[in-house]
Amino acid sequence: MSCNSTCQDEAVYRCQNQTNPAFVAMYSVVCIIGIPLNLMALVVFFCCIKSRSHTIVYMTNLALADLLLVCTLPIRIYYHLGIGELSQKTCEVAGLLLLANMYGSILLLTCISIDRCLAVCFPMSSRVREGRKKAPLICLGIWLLTIGASLPPYIINSNKNDTSKTCFRKIPTYAVKPVTLASTLTIGFGIPLIILLLCSWGLVHAVSKSTAAKMSGIVDSCKIQRMVIVNLAIFLCCFLPYHVMLVVIYINNDQMTCSVMSAYYNALMVTCLNTILDPLAYYLTAETFRKNIEIDTVRKMLPMNNLSSDGNTRSKPLVST
């Protein structure tokens, strides 16, 4: 038999224990590792790297998004320690920041993948170079999009004057509404995943077919493949379980069980691992594309008969960061 939303909320509230040592341990590990790693990344990006390449702009914003996400986790640690109750408003703000920065991370990871693919596949294209210069504006747009998309659910829930002390144990009904779920699965996850797969394939294909790139020693096809595999693994392992659980909750909305909700909260916890895995992606990207190549240097490595048109230069892709 199906029950109404009130009945479901009460049932889920009873089956979700506030005190959870596993959640405390995992969130604590993410905090202990994630905060210094992302702070170190920001220091390196701002102080130690003289060349402000377009990829560095995306990585800087990604490290900032990850750091903001990690800073919300002490609230969850305090809550799951069972020391005391938190205000519903505090829990809602923490949840808002987590979701906003999670989708910000997804979009920024996608932008990094696009930027690397364009740099390798179309190094001589003036249009591509001009487009890549818009990285700061794209990052600003991502921040506005993720914050703007996350605010309406928070405002709607706040206007309900809900006095229940459910905190992080409440069913995410706003996230599984048809319109919200459809936009989340397409714009927030599906399209970025497709773009990531296409760019990864394009990157590996371009480098494997480029004789000039191999001879120049700028890039290593094995390192490219390793970087692509690691980036895809991080993306899928961190974000796929959460979005699968959103679909499961939508399908089982009338008959919510404790096992479904437990799986949802564990999937949400897994997404936070992204904050300590992204620095690995920074390192692999920096090591793989370890040289900043000026456009004049690229021209010298290409045969003269390939410089006549943009179309010919695309047949021998090289890196231009």
Side-chain angles (χ1 to χ4, degrees), residues 20-84:
N20 194 317
F23 282 8
V24 171
M26 181 60 71
Y27 286 136
S28 297
V29 168
V30 173
C31 281
I32 293 171
I33 299 176
I35 290 178
L37 274 181
N38 286 285
L39 282 175
M40 188 184 304
L42 288 173
V43 170
V44 170
F45 293 150
F46 278 114
C47 303
C48 302
I49 297 181
K50 296 180 180 180
S51 175
R52 300 297 298 171
S53 68
H54 314 299
T55 303
I56 295 300
V57 173
Y58 292 122
M59 287 183 177
T60 303
N61 281 269
L62 180 57
L64 180 59
D66 288 343
L67 183 61
L68 290 175
L69 191 154
V70 174
C71 288
T72 68
L73 298 185
I75 297 176
R76 294 179 180 269
I77 294 173
Y78 177 85
Y79 174 79
H80 287 297
L81 282 172
I83 297 175

Coordinates of all heavy atoms in Angstrom, one line a residue, residues 20-84:
N20 N 25.8 8.2 13.3 CA 26.3 7.2 12.3 C 27.8 7.3 12.3 O 28.3 8.2 11.6 CB 25.6 7.5 11.0 CG 25.8 6.4 10.0 OD1 26.9 5.8 9.9 ND2 24.8 6.1 9.2
P21 N 28.5 6.3 12.9 CA 29.9 6.4 12.9 C 30.6 6.3 11.5 O 31.6 6.9 11.3 CB 30.3 5.1 13.8 CG 29.1 4.9 14.6 CD 27.9 5.2 13.7
A22 N 29.9 5.5 10.6 CA 30.5 5.4 9.3 C 30.5 6.7 8.6 O 31.5 7.1 7.9 CB 29.7 4.4 8.5
F23 N 29.4 7.5 8.7 CA 29.3 8.8 8.1 C 30.3 9.8 8.7 O 31.0 10.6 8.0 CB 27.9 9.4 8.2 CG 27.0 8.8 7.2 CD1 27.3 7.7 6.4 CD2 25.7 9.3 7.0 CE1 26.4 7.2 5.5 CE2 24.8 8.8 6.1 CZ 25.1 7.7 5.4
V24 N 30.5 9.7 10.0 CA 31.4 10.5 10.7 C 32.8 10.2 10.2 O 33.6 11.2 10.0 CB 31.3 10.3 12.2 CG1 32.5 11.0 13.0 CG2 30.0 10.8 12.8
A25 N 33.2 9.0 10.1 CA 34.5 8.6 9.7 C 34.8 9.1 8.3 O 35.9 9.6 8.0 CB 34.7 7.1 9.8
M26 N 33.9 8.8 7.4 CA 34.1 9.2 6.0 C 34.2 10.7 5.8 O 35.1 11.2 5.1 CB 33.0 8.6 5.1 CG 33.2 8.9 3.6 SD 34.7 8.2 2.9 CE 34.3 6.4 2.9
Y27 N 33.2 11.4 6.3 CA 33.3 12.9 6.2 C 34.5 13.5 6.8 O 35.1 14.5 6.4 CB 32.0 13.5 6.8 CG 30.8 13.3 5.9 CD1 29.5 12.9 6.5 CD2 30.8 13.5 4.6 CE1 28.4 12.7 5.8 CE2 29.6 13.3 3.8 CZ 28.5 12.9 4.4 OH 27.3 12.7 3.6
S28 N 35.0 12.8 7.9 CA 36.2 13.3 8.6 C 37.4 13.1 7.7 O 38.3 14.0 7.6 CB 36.4 12.6 9.9 OG 35.3 12.9 10.8
V29 N 37.5 12.0 7.1 CA 38.6 11.7 6.2 C 38.6 12.7 5.0 O 39.7 13.2 4.7 CB 38.5 10.2 5.7 CG1 39.5 10.0 4.5 CG2 38.8 9.3 6.8
V30 N 37.4 12.9 4.5 CA 37.3 13.9 3.3 C 37.8 15.3 3.8 O 38.5 16.0 3.1 CB 35.9 13.9 2.8 CG1 35.8 15.0 1.7 CG2 35.5 12.6 2.2
C31 N 37.4 15.7 5.0 CA 37.8 17.0 5.5 C 39.3 17.1 5.8 O 39.9 18.1 5.3 CB 37.0 17.3 6.8 SG 35.3 17.9 6.6
I32 N 39.8 16.1 6.4 CA 41.2 16.1 6.8 C 42.1 16.1 5.5 O 43.2 16.8 5.5 CB 41.6 14.9 7.7 CG1 40.9 15.0 9.0 CG2 43.1 14.7 7.9 CD1 41.0 13.7 9.9
I33 N 41.7 15.4 4.5 CA 42.5 15.3 3.3 C 42.1 16.4 2.3 O 43.0 17.1 1.7 CB 42.3 13.9 2.6 CG1 42.8 12.8 3.5 CG2 43.1 13.9 1.3 CD1 42.6 11.4 3.0
G34 N 40.8 16.7 2.2 CA 40.3 17.6 1.2 C 40.7 19.1 1.4 O 41.1 19.8 0.5
I35 N 40.6 19.5 2.7 CA 40.9 20.9 2.9 C 42.4 21.3 2.6 O 42.6 22.2 1.9 CB 40.5 21.3 4.4 CG1 39.0 21.2 4.6 CG2 41.1 22.6 4.8 CD1 38.6 21.5 6.0
P36 N 43.4 20.6 3.2 CA 44.7 20.9 2.8 C 45.1 20.7 1.3 O 45.8 21.5 0.8 CB 45.6 20.0 3.7 CG 44.7 18.9 4.1 CD 43.3 19.5 4.2
L37 N 44.5 19.7 0.7 CA 44.8 19.4 -0.7 C 44.3 20.6 -1.6 O 45.0 21.1 -2.5 CB 44.2 18.1 -1.2 CG 45.0 16.9 -0.9 CD1 44.3 15.6 -1.5 CD2 46.4 16.9 -1.6
N38 N 43.1 21.0 -1.3 CA 42.5 22.1 -2.2 C 43.1 23.4 -1.8 O 43.3 24.3 -2.7 CB 41.0 22.1 -2.0 CG 40.3 20.9 -2.8 OD1 40.2 20.9 -4.0 ND2 39.9 19.9 -2.0
L39 N 43.4 23.7 -0.6 CA 44.1 24.9 -0.2 C 45.5 24.9 -0.9 O 45.9 26.0 -1.4 CB 44.3 25.0 1.3 CG 43.1 25.5 2.1 CD1 43.3 25.4 3.6 CD2 42.6 26.9 1.7
M40 N 46.2 23.8 -0.9 CA 47.5 23.7 -1.5 C 47.4 24.0 -3.0 O 48.2 24.7 -3.7 CB 48.1 22.4 -1.3 CG 49.6 22.2 -1.8 SD 50.2 20.6 -1.5 CE 49.9 20.3 0.2
A41 N 46.3 23.4 -3.6 CA 46.1 23.6 -5.1 C 45.9 25.1 -5.4 O 46.4 25.6 -6.4 CB 44.9 22.8 -5.5
L42 N 45.1 25.8 -4.6 CA 44.8 27.2 -4.8 C 46.1 28.0 -4.6 O 46.3 28.9 -5.4 CB 43.8 27.7 -3.8 CG 42.3 27.2 -4.1 CD1 41.4 27.6 -2.9 CD2 41.8 27.8 -5.4
V43 N 46.9 27.7 -3.6 CA 48.2 28.4 -3.5 C 49.1 28.2 -4.7 O 49.7 29.2 -5.2 CB 48.9 27.9 -2.2 CG1 50.3 28.5 -2.1 CG2 48.1 28.3 -1.0
V44 N 49.2 27.0 -5.2 CA 50.0 26.7 -6.4 C 49.5 27.4 -7.6 O 50.2 28.1 -8.3 CB 50.0 25.2 -6.6 CG1 50.7 24.9 -8.0 CG2 50.8 24.4 -5.6
F45 N 48.1 27.4 -7.8 CA 47.6 28.1 -8.9 C 47.7 29.6 -8.9 O 48.0 30.2 -9.9 CB 46.1 27.7 -9.1 CG 45.8 26.3 -9.4 CD1 44.6 25.7 -8.9 CD2 46.7 25.5 -10.1 CE1 44.3 24.3 -9.2 CE2 46.4 24.2 -10.4 CZ 45.3 23.6 -9.9
F46 N 47.6 30.2 -7.7 CA 47.7 31.6 -7.6 C 49.1 32.1 -7.5 O 49.4 33.2 -8.0 CB 46.9 32.1 -6.4 CG 45.4 32.2 -6.6 CD1 44.5 31.4 -6.0 CD2 44.9 33.2 -7.5 CE1 43.2 31.5 -6.2 CE2 43.6 33.3 -7.7 CZ 42.7 32.4 -7.1
C47 N 50.0 31.4 -6.8 CA 51.3 31.9 -6.4 C 52.5 31.3 -7.2 O 53.5 31.9 -7.4 CB 51.6 31.8 -4.9 SG 50.3 32.6 -3.9
C48 N 52.4 30.0 -7.6 CA 53.5 29.3 -8.1 C 53.5 29.1 -9.6 O 54.5 28.7 -10.2 CB 53.6 27.9 -7.4 SG 53.8 28.0 -5.6
I49 N 52.4 29.4 -10.2 CA 52.3 29.2 -11.7 C 52.2 30.6 -12.3 O 51.2 31.3 -12.1 CB 51.0 28.3 -12.1 CG1 51.2 26.9 -11.5 CG2 50.9 28.3 -13.6 CD1 50.0 26.0 -11.8
K50 N 53.2 30.9 -13.1 CA 53.3 32.2 -13.7 C 52.3 32.4 -14.9 O 51.7 33.4 -15.1 CB 54.7 32.5 -14.1 CG 55.7 32.6 -13.0 CD 57.1 32.9 -13.4 CE 58.1 33.0 -12.3 NZ 59.4 33.3 -12.7
S51 N 52.2 31.3 -15.7 CA 51.4 31.3 -16.8 C 49.9 31.0 -16.5 O 49.6 29.9 -16.0 CB 51.9 30.3 -17.9 OG 51.0 30.2 -19.0
R52 N 49.0 32.0 -16.7 CA 47.6 31.8 -16.3 C 46.9 31.2 -17.6 O 46.2 31.9 -18.3 CB 47.0 33.1 -15.9 CG 47.6 33.7 -14.7 CD 47.4 32.9 -13.5 NE 46.0 32.7 -13.1 CZ 45.6 31.8 -12.2 NH1 46.4 31.1 -11.6 NH2 44.3 31.8 -12.0
S53 N 47.2 29.9 -17.9 CA 46.5 29.3 -19.0 C 45.0 29.1 -18.8 O 44.6 29.2 -17.6 CB 47.2 27.9 -19.3 OG 46.9 27.0 -18.3
H54 N 44.3 28.8 -19.8 CA 42.9 28.7 -19.7 C 42.5 27.5 -18.8 O 41.5 27.6 -18.0 CB 42.3 28.5 -21.1 CG 42.8 29.5 -22.1 ND1 42.7 30.8 -21.9 CD2 43.5 29.3 -23.2 CE1 43.2 31.5 -22.9 NE2 43.7 30.6 -23.7
T55 N 43.3 26.4 -18.9 CA 43.0 25.2 -18.0 C 43.2 25.6 -16.6 O 42.5 25.1 -15.7 CB 43.9 24.1 -18.5 OG1 43.7 23.8 -19.8 CG2 43.6 22.8 -17.6
I56 N 44.2 26.4 -16.3 CA 44.5 26.8 -14.9 C 43.3 27.6 -14.3 O 43.0 27.4 -13.1 CB 45.8 27.6 -14.8 CG1 47.0 26.7 -15.2 CG2 46.0 28.1 -13.4 CD1 47.2 25.5 -14.3
V57 N 42.7 28.4 -15.2 CA 41.5 29.1 -14.7 C 40.4 28.2 -14.3 O 39.8 28.4 -13.2 CB 41.0 30.1 -15.8 CG1 39.7 30.7 -15.4 CG2 42.0 31.1 -16.2
Y58 N 40.1 27.2 -15.1 CA 39.1 26.2 -14.7 C 39.5 25.4 -13.5 O 38.7 25.2 -12.6 CB 38.9 25.2 -15.9 CG 38.3 25.8 -17.1 CD1 38.9 25.8 -18.3 CD2 37.0 26.4 -17.0 CE1 38.3 26.3 -19.5 CE2 36.4 27.0 -18.1 CZ 37.1 26.9 -19.3 OH 36.5 27.5 -20.5
M59 N 40.8 25.0 -13.4 CA 41.2 24.2 -12.2 C 41.2 25.1 -10.9 O 40.8 24.5 -9.9 CB 42.7 23.8 -12.4 CG 42.8 22.7 -13.4 SD 44.5 22.1 -13.6 CE 44.4 20.8 -14.7
T60 N 41.5 26.4 -11.0 CA 41.4 27.2 -9.9 C 39.9 27.3 -9.3 O 39.7 27.2 -8.1 CB 41.9 28.6 -10.2 OG1 43.2 28.6 -10.7 CG2 41.8 29.5 -9.0
N61 N 39.0 27.5 -10.2 CA 37.6 27.5 -9.9 C 37.1 26.2 -9.3 O 36.3 26.1 -8.4 CB 36.7 27.9 -11.0 CG 36.8 29.4 -11.3 OD1 36.0 30.2 -10.8 ND2 37.7 29.9 -12.1
L62 N 37.6 25.1 -9.9 CA 37.2 23.8 -9.4 C 37.8 23.5 -8.0 O 37.1 23.0 -7.1 CB 37.8 22.7 -10.4 CG 37.5 21.2 -10.0 CD1 36.0 21.0 -9.9 CD2 38.1 20.3 -11.0
A63 N 39.0 23.9 -7.7 CA 39.6 23.8 -6.4 C 38.8 24.6 -5.4 O 38.5 24.2 -4.2 CB 41.0 24.2 -6.4
L64 N 38.3 25.8 -5.8 CA 37.5 26.7 -4.9 C 36.2 26.0 -4.6 O 35.7 26.0 -3.5 CB 37.3 28.0 -5.6 CG 36.5 29.0 -4.8 CD1 37.2 29.3 -3.4 CD2 36.4 30.4 -5.5
A65 N 35.5 25.5 -5.7 CA 34.3 24.8 -5.5 C 34.4 23.6 -4.6 O 33.6 23.3 -3.7 CB 33.7 24.3 -6.8
D66 N 35.5 22.8 -4.7 CA 35.7 21.6 -3.9 C 36.0 22.1 -2.4 O 35.5 21.4 -1.5 CB 36.9 20.8 -4.4 CG 36.6 20.1 -5.7 OD1 35.4 19.9 -6.0 OD2 37.5 19.7 -6.4
L67 N 36.7 23.2 -2.3 CA 37.0 23.6 -0.9 C 35.7 24.1 -0.2 O 35.5 23.8 1.0 CB 38.0 24.8 -1.0 CG 38.4 25.4 0.4 CD1 39.1 24.3 1.2 CD2 39.4 26.6 0.2
L68 N 34.8 24.8 -0.9 CA 33.6 25.2 -0.3 C 32.7 24.0 0.0 O 32.0 24.0 1.1 CB 32.8 26.1 -1.3 CG 33.4 27.5 -1.6 CD1 32.7 28.2 -2.7 CD2 33.4 28.3 -0.3
L69 N 32.7 23.0 -0.8 CA 31.9 21.8 -0.5 C 32.5 21.1 0.8 O 31.7 20.7 1.6 CB 32.0 20.8 -1.7 CG 31.0 19.6 -1.7 CD1 30.7 19.1 -3.1 CD2 31.6 18.4 -0.9
V70 N 33.8 21.0 0.9 CA 34.4 20.3 2.0 C 34.0 21.1 3.3 O 33.9 20.5 4.4 CB 35.9 20.2 1.9 CG1 36.5 19.7 3.2 CG2 36.2 19.3 0.7
C71 N 34.0 22.5 3.2 CA 33.7 23.3 4.4 C 32.3 23.1 4.9 O 32.0 23.5 6.1 CB 33.9 24.8 4.0 SG 35.7 25.2 3.8
T72 N 31.4 22.5 4.2 CA 30.0 22.2 4.7 C 30.0 20.8 5.4 O 29.1 20.6 6.2 CB 29.0 22.1 3.5 OG1 29.3 20.9 2.7 CG2 29.1 23.3 2.7
L73 N 31.0 20.0 5.3 CA 31.0 18.7 5.9 C 31.1 18.7 7.4 O 30.6 17.8 8.1 CB 32.1 17.8 5.3 CG 32.0 17.6 3.8 CD1 33.1 16.6 3.3 CD2 30.6 17.1 3.4
P74 N 31.9 19.6 8.1 CA 31.9 19.6 9.5 C 30.5 19.7 10.1 O 30.2 19.2 11.2 CB 32.7 20.9 9.9 CG 33.6 21.0 8.7 CD 32.8 20.6 7.5
I75 N 29.5 20.4 9.4 CA 28.1 20.4 9.9 C 27.5 19.0 9.9 O 26.9 18.6 10.9 CB 27.3 21.3 9.0 CG1 27.8 22.8 9.1 CG2 25.8 21.3 9.4 CD1 27.1 23.7 8.2
R76 N 27.8 18.2 8.9 CA 27.3 16.9 8.8 C 28.0 16.0 9.8 O 27.4 15.1 10.4 CB 27.5 16.3 7.4 CG 26.7 17.0 6.4 CD 26.9 16.5 5.0 NE 26.1 17.2 4.0 CZ 24.8 16.8 3.6 NH1 24.3 15.7 4.2 NH2 24.1 17.5 2.8
I77 N 29.3 16.2 10.1 CA 30.0 15.4 11.1 C 29.4 15.7 12.5 O 29.2 14.7 13.2 CB 31.5 15.8 11.1 CG1 32.2 15.4 9.8 CG2 32.2 15.2 12.3 CD1 33.6 15.8 9.6
Y78 N 29.2 16.9 12.8 CA 28.6 17.3 14.1 C 27.2 16.6 14.2 O 26.9 16.1 15.3 CB 28.5 18.8 14.2 CG 27.8 19.3 15.4 CD1 28.5 19.5 16.6 CD2 26.4 19.6 15.5 CE1 27.9 19.9 17.8 CE2 25.8 20.0 16.6 CZ 26.5 20.2 17.8 OH 25.9 20.6 18.9
Y79 N 26.4 16.7 13.2 CA 25.1 16.1 13.2 C 25.1 14.6 13.5 O 24.4 14.1 14.3 CB 24.4 16.4 11.9 CG 23.0 15.7 11.8 CD1 21.9 16.2 12.4 CD2 22.9 14.6 11.0 CE1 20.7 15.6 12.3 CE2 21.7 13.9 10.9 CZ 20.6 14.5 11.5 OH 19.3 13.8 11.4
H80 N 26.0 13.9 12.7 CA 26.0 12.4 12.8 C 26.8 12.0 14.1 O 26.7 10.8 14.4 CB 26.7 11.8 11.6 CG 25.8 11.9 10.3 ND1 24.6 11.2 10.3 CD2 26.0 12.6 9.2 CE1 24.1 11.5 9.1 NE2 24.9 12.3 8.4
L81 N 27.5 12.9 14.8 CA 28.0 12.5 16.1 C 26.9 12.4 17.1 O 27.1 11.7 18.2 CB 29.0 13.5 16.5 CG 30.4 13.5 15.9 CD1 31.3 14.7 16.2 CD2 31.2 12.2 16.3
G82 N 25.8 13.0 16.8 CA 24.6 12.9 17.7 C 24.8 13.7 19.0 O 24.2 13.5 20.0
I83 N 25.7 14.8 18.9 CA 25.9 15.6 20.1 C 24.7 16.4 20.4 O 24.3 16.6 21.6 CB 27.1 16.5 19.8 CG1 28.4 15.7 19.7 CG2 27.3 17.5 21.0 CD1 29.6 16.5 19.3
G84 N 24.0 16.9 19.4 CA 22.9 17.8 19.6 C 22.2 18.0 18.3 O 22.7 17.7 17.2

